[in-house]
């Protein structure tokens, strides 16, 4: 038996689908920018939050930064530090957000990219 959704539930579902479609439309370049920012923040600071990244990047669209962070978390590149800070985004009304740190895998990826960059410079 299928559950009948209320009007509010249908509208919320439609809004969620529209947000997911918008996130999916972001280019590889946007994803690359977020990944690079996470690796830089992770290498230069013990911890960071979306507040830090949001200040360093151009506007990426609603929900994209959070989705990218969750993807990096699921991929094992970052891990939760156990801390939270209030969000500086006006849309969140100061709700708490997670503080992240690079995982061992994230540090290995960052080191590999650093070595590749040095190697390219040396051969150029």
């Amino acid at each position: 038996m299928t559950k009948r959704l209320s009007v509010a539930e249908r509208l919320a579902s439609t809004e969620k689908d529209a947000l997911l479609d918008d996130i999916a439309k972001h280019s590889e370049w946007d994803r690359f920018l977020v990944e690079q920012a996470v690796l830089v923040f992770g290498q230069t600071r013990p911890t960071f939050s979306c507040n830090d990244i949001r200040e360093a990047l151009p506007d990426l669209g609603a929900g994209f930064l959070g989705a990218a962070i969750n993807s990096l978390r699921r991929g094992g590149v970052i891990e939760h530090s156990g801390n939270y800070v209030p969000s500086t985004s006006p849309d969140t009304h100061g709700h708490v957000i997670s503080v992240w740190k690079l995982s061992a895998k994230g540090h290995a990826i960052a080191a590999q990219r650093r070595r590749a960059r040095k190697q390219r410079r040396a051969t150029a």
Side-chain angles (χ1 to χ4, degrees):
M1 176 180 271
T2 345
K3 178 185 177 230
R4 295 181 72 177
L5 299 177
S6 70
V7 173
E9 289 171 323
R10 284 194 309 272
L11 288 173
S13 178
T14 302
E15 192 173 303
K16 179 182 173 188
D17 290 344
L19 177 60
L20 290 174
D21 285 343
D22 184 48
I23 290 169
K25 288 178 188 171
H26 281 280
S27 70
E28 289 293 310
W29 180 248
D30 290 340
R31 187 177 58 78
F32 177 76
L33 281 175
V34 171
E35 289 172 358
Q36 291 302 306
V38 165
L39 291 173
V40 167
F41 277 96
Q43 288 178 297
T44 59
R45 302 174 180 201
T47 60
F48 57 91
S49 72
C50 284
N51 292 338
D52 302 314
I53 295 171
R54 203 173 20 257
E55 289 175 9
L57 294 177
D59 183 22
L60 296 170
F64 181 72
L65 181 56
I69 290 292
N70 279 329
S71 175
L72 291 166
R73 179 191 51 80
R74 280 191 310 272
V77 176
I78 60 174
E79 57 192 22
H80 198 273
S81 71
N83 296 316
Y84 297 88
V85 294
S87 174
T88 58
S89 172
D91 296 339
T92 61
H93 307 290
H95 290 151
V96 295
I97 59 173
S98 296
V99 176
W100 303 100
K101 61 183 179 178
L102 279 187
S103 64
K105 179 179 180 179
H107 280 290
I109 291 169
Q112 180 182 13
R113 289 186 178 192
R114 229 180 6 257
R115 284 190 303 273
R117 200 170 39 250
K118 282 182 182 179
Q119 206 170 38
R120 280 192 305 272
R121 285 186 196 143
T123 58

